[in-house]
Coordinates of all heavy atoms in Angstrom, one line a residue:
M1 N 43.3 5.6 65.8 CA 43.5 6.9 66.5 C 44.8 6.7 67.4 O 44.9 5.8 68.2 CB 42.3 7.3 67.3 CG 42.4 8.7 67.9 SD 40.9 9.1 68.8 CE 40.3 10.3 67.6
S2 N 45.7 7.7 67.3 CA 46.9 7.6 68.1 C 46.6 7.9 69.6 O 45.6 8.5 69.9 CB 47.9 8.5 67.6 OG 47.6 9.9 67.9
T3 N 47.5 7.5 70.4 CA 47.4 7.8 71.8 C 47.3 9.3 72.1 O 46.5 9.7 72.9 CB 48.7 7.2 72.6 OG1 48.7 5.8 72.3 CG2 48.6 7.5 74.1
V4 N 48.2 10.1 71.4 CA 48.1 11.5 71.6 C 46.8 12.1 71.2 O 46.2 12.9 71.9 CB 49.3 12.2 70.8 CG1 49.1 13.7 70.8 CG2 50.6 11.8 71.3
A5 N 46.3 11.6 70.0 CA 45.0 12.1 69.6 C 43.9 11.8 70.6 O 43.0 12.6 70.8 CB 44.6 11.5 68.2
K6 N 43.9 10.6 71.2 CA 42.9 10.2 72.2 C 43.0 11.1 73.4 O 42.0 11.5 73.9 CB 43.1 8.7 72.6 CG 42.7 7.7 71.5 CD 43.0 6.3 71.9 CE 42.7 5.3 70.8 NZ 43.0 4.0 71.2
L7 N 44.2 11.3 73.8 CA 44.4 12.2 75.0 C 43.9 13.6 74.8 O 43.3 14.2 75.6 CB 45.9 12.2 75.5 CG 46.4 10.9 76.1 CD1 47.9 10.9 76.2 CD2 45.7 10.6 77.4
L8 N 44.3 14.1 73.6 CA 43.8 15.5 73.2 C 42.3 15.6 73.1 O 41.7 16.6 73.5 CB 44.5 15.9 71.9 CG 46.0 16.2 72.1 CD1 46.6 16.5 70.7 CD2 46.3 17.3 73.1
A9 N 41.7 14.6 72.6 CA 40.2 14.6 72.5 C 39.6 14.5 73.8 O 38.6 15.2 74.1 CB 39.8 13.4 71.6
R10 N 40.2 13.7 74.7 CA 39.6 13.7 76.1 C 39.8 15.0 76.8 O 38.9 15.5 77.5 CB 40.4 12.5 76.9 CG 39.8 12.4 78.3 CD 40.4 11.1 78.9 NE 40.1 11.2 80.3 CZ 41.0 10.7 81.3 NH1 42.1 10.2 80.9 NH2 40.6 10.8 82.5
K11 N 41.0 15.6 76.6 CA 41.2 16.9 77.2 C 40.2 18.0 76.7 O 39.7 18.8 77.5 CB 42.7 17.4 76.9 CG 43.1 18.7 77.5 CD 44.5 19.0 77.2 CE 44.8 20.4 77.8 NZ 46.2 20.8 77.5
E12 N 39.9 17.9 75.4 CA 38.9 18.9 74.8 C 37.6 18.7 75.5 O 36.9 19.7 75.8 CB 38.8 18.7 73.3 CG 39.8 19.5 72.5 CD 39.5 19.4 71.0 OE1 38.3 19.6 70.7 OE2 40.4 19.2 70.3
R13 N 37.2 17.4 75.7 CA 35.9 17.2 76.3 C 35.9 17.7 77.8 O 34.9 18.3 78.2 CB 35.5 15.7 76.3 CG 35.2 15.1 74.9 CD 34.6 13.7 75.0 NE 35.5 12.8 75.6 CZ 36.4 12.1 75.0 NH1 36.6 12.2 73.7 NH2 37.2 11.2 75.6
L14 N 37.0 17.5 78.5 CA 37.0 18.0 79.8 C 37.0 19.5 79.9 O 36.4 20.1 80.8 CB 38.3 17.5 80.5 CG 38.3 16.0 80.8 CD1 39.7 15.5 81.2 CD2 37.3 15.6 81.9
L15 N 37.7 20.2 79.0 CA 37.7 21.6 78.9 C 36.3 22.2 78.6 O 35.9 23.2 79.2 CB 38.7 22.2 77.9 CG 40.2 22.0 78.2 CD1 41.1 22.3 77.1 CD2 40.5 22.8 79.5
A16 N 35.6 21.5 77.8 CA 34.2 21.9 77.5 C 33.3 21.7 78.7 O 32.4 22.6 79.0 CB 33.6 21.0 76.4
Q17 N 33.6 20.7 79.5 CA 32.8 20.5 80.8 C 33.1 21.7 81.7 O 32.3 22.2 82.4 CB 33.2 19.2 81.5 CG 32.6 18.0 80.8 CD 33.0 16.7 81.6 OE1 34.1 16.6 82.0 NE2 32.0 15.8 81.7
L18 N 34.4 22.2 81.8 CA 34.7 23.3 82.6 C 34.0 24.6 82.2 O 33.6 25.4 83.1 CB 36.3 23.6 82.5 CG 37.2 22.7 83.4 CD1 38.6 23.2 83.2 CD2 36.8 22.9 84.9
E19 N 33.7 24.7 80.9 CA 33.0 25.9 80.4 C 31.6 25.9 80.8 O 30.9 26.9 80.8 CB 33.1 26.0 78.9 CG 34.6 26.3 78.5 CD 34.7 26.4 77.0 OE1 33.7 26.2 76.3 OE2 35.8 26.6 76.5
S20 N 31.0 24.7 81.2 CA 29.6 24.6 81.6 C 29.4 25.0 83.1 O 28.3 24.7 83.6 CB 29.1 23.2 81.3 OG 29.7 22.3 82.2
D21 N 30.4 25.5 83.7 CA 30.3 26.0 85.1 C 29.9 24.9 86.1 O 28.9 25.0 86.7 CB 29.3 27.2 85.2 CG 29.5 28.0 86.5 OD1 30.6 28.0 87.0 OD2 28.5 28.5 87.0
P22 N 30.8 23.9 86.2 CA 30.5 22.8 87.2 C 30.7 23.3 88.6 O 31.2 24.3 88.9 CB 31.6 21.8 86.8 CG 32.7 22.6 86.3 CD 32.1 23.7 85.6
G23 N 30.2 22.5 89.5 CA 30.3 22.8 90.9 C 31.8 22.7 91.3 O 32.6 22.1 90.6
P24 N 32.1 23.1 92.5 CA 33.6 23.1 93.0 C 34.2 21.7 93.0 O 35.3 21.5 92.6 CB 33.5 23.7 94.4 CG 32.1 23.9 94.7 CD 31.3 23.7 93.5
N25 N 33.4 20.7 93.5 CA 34.0 19.4 93.5 C 34.2 18.8 92.1 O 35.3 18.2 91.8 CB 33.1 18.4 94.3 CG 33.0 18.8 95.8 OD1 33.9 19.4 96.3 ND2 32.0 18.4 96.4
E26 N 33.2 19.0 91.2 CA 33.4 18.5 89.9 C 34.5 19.3 89.1 O 35.3 18.7 88.4 CB 32.1 18.7 89.1 CG 32.1 18.1 87.7 CD 30.7 18.2 87.0 OE1 29.8 18.8 87.6 OE2 30.7 17.7 85.9
R27 N 34.6 20.6 89.4 CA 35.7 21.4 88.8 C 37.1 20.8 89.2 O 38.0 20.7 88.4 CB 35.6 22.8 89.2 CG 36.7 23.7 88.7 CD 36.5 25.2 89.0 NE 35.5 25.7 88.2 CZ 35.6 26.2 87.0 NH1 36.8 26.1 86.4 NH2 34.6 26.7 86.3
E28 N 37.2 20.5 90.5 CA 38.5 20.0 91.0 C 38.8 18.7 90.3 O 40.0 18.4 89.9 CB 38.4 19.8 92.5 CG 39.6 19.4 93.2 CD 39.5 19.3 94.7 OE1 39.0 20.2 95.3 OE2 39.9 18.2 95.2
E29 N 37.8 17.8 90.1 CA 38.1 16.5 89.5 C 38.4 16.7 88.0 O 39.3 16.0 87.5 CB 36.8 15.6 89.6 CG 36.9 14.3 88.9 CD 38.0 13.4 89.5 OE1 38.4 13.5 90.6 OE2 38.4 12.5 88.7
I30 N 37.8 17.6 87.3 CA 38.1 17.8 85.9 C 39.5 18.4 85.8 O 40.3 17.9 84.9 CB 37.1 18.8 85.3 CG1 35.7 18.1 85.2 CG2 37.5 19.3 83.9 CD1 34.5 19.1 84.9
E31 N 39.9 19.3 86.6 CA 41.2 19.9 86.6 C 42.3 18.8 86.9 O 43.3 18.8 86.3 CB 41.3 21.1 87.6 CG 40.5 22.3 87.1 CD 40.5 23.4 88.1 OE1 40.8 23.2 89.3 OE2 40.0 24.5 87.7
R32 N 42.0 17.9 87.8 CA 42.9 16.8 88.1 C 43.1 15.9 86.9 O 44.2 15.5 86.6 CB 42.3 16.0 89.3 CG 43.3 14.9 89.8 CD 42.7 14.0 90.8 NE 41.5 13.2 90.3 CZ 41.6 12.2 89.5 NH1 42.8 11.7 89.2 NH2 40.5 11.5 89.1
Q33 N 42.0 15.6 86.2 CA 42.1 14.8 85.1 C 42.9 15.4 83.9 O 43.7 14.8 83.2 CB 40.7 14.4 84.6 CG 40.0 13.4 85.5 CD 38.7 13.0 85.0 OE1 38.4 12.9 83.8 NE2 37.7 12.7 85.9
I34 N 42.7 16.7 83.8 CA 43.4 17.5 82.8 C 44.9 17.5 83.1 O 45.7 17.3 82.2 CB 42.9 18.9 82.6 CG1 41.5 18.9 82.0 CG2 43.8 19.8 81.8 CD1 40.8 20.3 82.0
A35 N 45.2 17.6 84.3 CA 46.7 17.6 84.8 C 47.3 16.2 84.5 O 48.4 16.1 84.0 CB 46.8 17.9 86.2
Q36 N 46.5 15.2 84.7 CA 47.0 13.8 84.4 C 47.2 13.7 82.9 O 48.2 13.1 82.5 CB 46.0 12.7 84.8 CG 45.9 12.5 86.3 CD 44.9 11.5 86.7 OE1 43.9 11.3 86.1 NE2 45.2 10.8 87.8
I37 N 46.3 14.2 82.1 CA 46.5 14.1 80.6 C 47.7 14.9 80.2 O 48.5 14.4 79.4 CB 45.2 14.6 79.9 CG1 44.1 13.7 80.1 CG2 45.5 14.8 78.4 CD1 42.7 14.2 79.7
E38 N 47.9 16.0 80.7 CA 49.1 16.8 80.4 C 50.4 16.1 80.7 O 51.4 16.1 80.0 CB 49.0 18.2 81.0 CG 47.9 19.1 80.4 CD 47.7 20.4 81.1 OE1 48.2 20.6 82.1 OE2 46.9 21.2 80.5
T39 N 50.4 15.5 81.9 CA 51.5 14.7 82.3 C 51.8 13.5 81.4 O 52.9 13.3 80.9 CB 51.4 14.2 83.8 OG1 51.2 15.3 84.6 CG2 52.5 13.3 84.2
A40 N 50.7 12.8 81.0 CA 50.9 11.7 80.1 C 51.4 12.2 78.7 O 52.3 11.5 78.2 CB 49.5 11.0 79.9
L41 N 50.9 13.3 78.2 CA 51.4 13.8 77.0 C 52.9 14.2 77.0 O 53.6 13.9 76.1 CB 50.6 15.0 76.6 CG 49.1 14.8 76.1 CD1 48.4 16.1 76.0 CD2 49.1 14.0 74.8
S42 N 53.3 14.7 78.2 CA 54.7 15.1 78.3 C 55.6 13.9 78.4 O 56.8 14.0 78.1 CB 54.9 16.1 79.5 OG 54.7 15.4 80.7
L43 N 55.1 12.8 78.9 CA 55.9 11.6 79.1 C 56.0 10.7 77.9 O 56.9 9.8 77.8 CB 55.4 10.8 80.3 CG 55.5 11.4 81.7 CD1 54.8 10.6 82.7 CD2 56.9 11.7 82.0
L44 N 55.1 10.9 76.9 CA 55.1 10.1 75.8 C 56.4 10.2 74.9 O 56.8 11.4 74.7 CB 53.9 10.4 74.9 CG 52.6 9.8 75.3 CD1 51.5 10.3 74.4 CD2 52.6 8.3 75.3
E45 N 56.9 9.2 74.5 CA 58.1 9.2 73.6 C 57.6 9.5 72.2 O 56.4 9.2 71.9 CB 58.8 7.8 73.6 CG 59.4 7.5 75.0 CD 60.6 8.4 75.4 OE1 61.3 8.8 74.5 OE2 60.7 8.6 76.6
P46 N 58.4 10.1 71.4 CA 57.9 10.5 70.0 C 57.4 9.3 69.3 O 56.4 9.4 68.6 CB 59.2 11.0 69.4 CG 60.0 11.5 70.5 CD 59.7 10.6 71.7
G47 N 57.9 8.1 69.4 CA 57.4 6.9 68.7 C 56.1 6.4 69.3 O 55.3 5.7 68.6
D48 N 55.7 6.8 70.5 CA 54.5 6.4 71.1 C 53.3 7.1 70.5 O 52.2 6.7 70.6 CB 54.5 6.6 72.6 CG 55.5 5.7 73.3 OD1 55.8 4.6 72.7 OD2 55.9 6.0 74.4
A49 N 53.6 8.3 69.9 CA 52.5 9.1 69.4 C 51.8 8.5 68.2 O 50.7 8.8 67.9 CB 53.0 10.5 69.1
V50 N 52.5 7.6 67.5 CA 52.0 7.0 66.3 C 51.4 5.6 66.6 O 52.1 4.8 67.1 CB 53.1 6.9 65.2 CG1 52.5 6.2 64.0 CG2 53.7 8.2 64.9
G51 N 50.1 5.5 66.4 CA 49.5 4.2 66.7 C 49.5 3.4 65.4 O 49.9 3.8 64.3
P52 N 49.1 2.1 65.5 CA 49.1 1.2 64.4 C 48.2 1.8 63.3 O 47.1 2.3 63.5 CB 48.4 -0.1 64.9 CG 48.5 0.1 66.4 CD 48.6 1.5 66.7
G53 N 48.7 1.8 62.1 CA 48.0 2.4 60.9 C 48.1 3.9 60.8 O 47.5 4.4 59.9
D54 N 48.7 4.6 61.7 CA 48.8 6.0 61.7 C 50.0 6.5 61.0 O 50.2 7.7 60.8 CB 48.8 6.6 63.1 CG 47.4 6.6 63.8 OD1 46.4 6.3 63.0 OD2 47.3 6.7 65.0
E55 N 50.9 5.5 60.7 CA 52.2 5.9 60.1 C 52.0 6.3 58.6 O 51.2 5.9 57.9 CB 53.2 4.7 60.1 CG 53.5 4.4 61.6 CD 54.4 3.2 61.7 OE1 54.5 2.4 60.8 OE2 55.1 3.1 62.7

């Protein structure tokens, strides 16, 4: 599984958690993690998106 795929899967899980109406502290932590994932995705070089065996 490529780095991008892993990040996107993690983001999907976090978004699902947001839909379950978490408390304010948990919501803040989830949103922080989503922001980190979005930053990581934007920083990845095109060659980093392909993991071993994904080519």
Side-chain angles (χ1 to χ4, degrees):
M1 183 179 257
S2 72
T3 301
V4 171
K6 288 177 185 177
L7 288 169
L8 291 174
R10 183 172 168 215
K11 183 178 175 180
E12 272 189 47
R13 288 191 302 272
L14 290 168
L15 290 172
Q17 285 181 319
L18 277 180
E19 291 177 4
S20 69
D21 197 29
N25 292 339
E26 187 177 358
R27 174 176 291 279
E28 184 177 310
E29 176 62 21
I30 292 168
E31 289 172 346
R32 184 188 65 75
Q33 290 180 31
I34 290 171
Q36 286 180 330
I37 291 169
E38 289 174 351
T39 299
L41 288 169
S42 70
L43 294 174
L44 281 174
E45 295 294 326
D48 294 338
V50 178
D54 289 345
E55 295 178 337

